[in-house]
Amino acid sequence: MSITRRQFLKATGGVAAGIGVSGSLSTPAQAAPAPADPGRTTLPFSPKVVAHLGQLRVNTPVSFLYPDASSPCAVIKMGMPVPGGVGPDRDVVAYSTLCTHMGCPVAYDAGARTFKCPCHFSIFDPEKSGQMVLGQATENLPMVQLQYNASDGTVKAVGIEGLIYGRQANLL
């Protein structure tokens, strides 16, 4: 018995349609749970003390390396509450100091209260979560997630929000 091409296509098309319909009719209890945020990954960052609150001066950055020796960052006491700020006044923030455009080291300009890239003139605002406000960069500066311990006045880096320039993951 031979089967024609038309008969073959009808049979296989009907089977494929049946599988598609039966898959869409499953109840929510039978369906696999969808991940909460498929683009987000929790990485095992090691906490690191980066400053003591009593030693931080308003509008003066303190450099540190996090999460590894190839990742320069700066912690700053802004002097007023800012998004993501920690401490009693919610004014201490930290950022990667590698420009998100081409990885040049950004410098903090205390007069303008911004990070500036000397290579291609991108400017980032630490009072607005490291937002890129001017220049070639298309991403904000990666923000270092901080925790403040009131009992001893330490500020710890515990993670990074955003991707450090030149990396596929923030941990090497």
Side-chain angles (χ1 to χ4, degrees), residues 44-62:
F45 288 99
S46 297
K48 177 182 180 179
V49 174
V50 296
H52 291 277
L53 192 62
Q55 296 173 337
L56 292 177
R57 300 292 166 244
V58 173
N59 208 25
T60 304
V62 174

Side-chain angles (χ1 to χ4, degrees), residues 92-149:
V92 178
V93 290
Y95 297 94
S96 166
T97 57
L98 294 178
C99 181
T100 57
H101 175 235
M102 294 195 65
C104 292
V106 297
Y108 185 71
D109 179 347
R113 298 176 65 93
T114 59
F115 284 102
K116 294 183 177 181
C117 179
C119 296
H120 302 104
F121 310 109
S122 292
I123 297 176
F124 303 90
D125 190 344
E127 294 175 353
K128 295 182 178 162
S129 302
Q131 180 180 17
M132 192 285 302
V133 292
L134 183 71
Q136 301 293 320
T138 58
E139 301 287 330
N140 298 341
L141 279 181
M143 185 177 211
V144 178
Q145 297 168 333
L146 301 174
Q147 284 182 350
Y148 171 66
N149 184 341

Side-chain angles (χ1 to χ4, degrees), residues 5-62:
R5 182 177 174 180
R6 174 174 274 193
Q7 291 169 330
F8 174 77
L9 292 174
K10 279 184 175 182
T12 56
V15 170
I19 291 171
V21 168
S22 67
S24 67
L25 294 177
S26 64
T27 63
Q30 295 170 332
D37 185 357
R40 197 156 178 102
T41 303
T42 303
L43 297 173
F45 288 99
S46 297
K48 177 182 180 179
V49 174
V50 296
H52 291 277
L53 192 62
Q55 296 173 337
L56 292 177
R57 300 292 166 244
V58 173
N59 208 25
T60 304
V62 174

